Amino acid sequence: MADGFLEKHYEDYEARKAAWLRKKKHLPKTGKRKLERPDNEAL
C-alpha cells in the first residue's frame, strides 16, 4: 500500500517549499512598522 506514497508526498513538499522560497526572495523587504497610537488613550 505504501509503495512510493511517502516519496511522492515528499517530492510534492520539496516542490512547494522551493516555490515558496523563490517567491519569498522576490518580496520587498519591509522595515519595522511604527504603530500609531490614538489621540485618546481611553480607547
Side-chain angles (χ1 to χ4, degrees):
M1 178 175 159
D3 292 334
F5 178 79
L6 293 176
E7 290 82 3
K8 173 67 176 150
H9 283 275
Y10 187 72
E11 289 171 6
D12 292 342
Y13 161 75
E14 288 292 326
R16 287 194 314 269
K17 180 180 174 184
W20 179 78
L21 287 173
R22 279 194 306 274
K23 182 180 177 186
K24 181 181 172 188
K25 285 183 181 180
H26 294 293
L27 292 177
K29 298 203 182 235
T30 57
K32 291 189 177 183
R33 292 178 17 179
K34 186 176 182 182
L35 296 177
E36 296 181 19
R37 295 185 182 254
D39 294 334
N40 185 353
E41 292 288 331
L43 296 177

